[in-house]
Amino acid sequence: MATDDDPVLQSTATALVDIPQEVKDSLRKFRFKRRSEGSAAIVIKINKAKLVMEEVEQFDSISIEDLAEELPENSPRYVVLSYELKHKDGRTSFPLVLVNWSPSSSETGMLTLHASALLNFQNTADVSKAIEVRDGPEGLTKEVIDAKLLS
């Protein structure tokens, strides 16, 4: 009997949603782009019919509040965010953060599919910090991200 710790079962679950090479290439270019100010984001969705991830849009120099307004109210997304972080000692850094946009108003089947592919996407995007947002734009603010990253 297979258990949750079974590597065969895990690989089957994570391989359920394919990450095409063009999405991997976009993620790689996004990761290595030099930024000197502002936050940038790349938004990825799952095409439920094809079971593949697709790039939705990229934003350069976007505020967190504007990004939150751009994301759909009823559909989950993965957002890789290059975030302008101001440290208490005056330094500025641009960490990559995975925003797991999972509005509670989304269709249950889509949320389940999104959740099942999260770890595979996070590993592919090579992002260690993840922030889950379930309550829409109110849950994605500069204050929320600062609190998670500076803690």
Side-chain angles (χ1 to χ4, degrees), residues 26-40:
S26 286
L27 287 167
R28 189 174 195 303
K29 284 180 194 154
F30 182 83
R31 268 185 73 71
F32 292 111
K33 189 172 183 181
R34 290 276 169 234
R35 302 190 203 300
S36 58
E37 63 179 25
S39 296

Side-chain angles (χ1 to χ4, degrees), residues 133-147:
V133 178
R134 297 190 57 80
D135 45 2
E138 304 80 45
L140 184 58
T141 64
K142 184 175 179 359
E143 293 74 24
V144 168
I145 295 174
D146 283 348

Side-chain angles (χ1 to χ4, degrees), residues 17 21 29 31 34 47 73 83 103 145:
V17 178
Q21 190 60 48
K29 284 180 194 154
R31 268 185 73 71
R34 290 276 169 234
N47 178 322
E73 290 180 27
Y83 181 67
I145 295 174

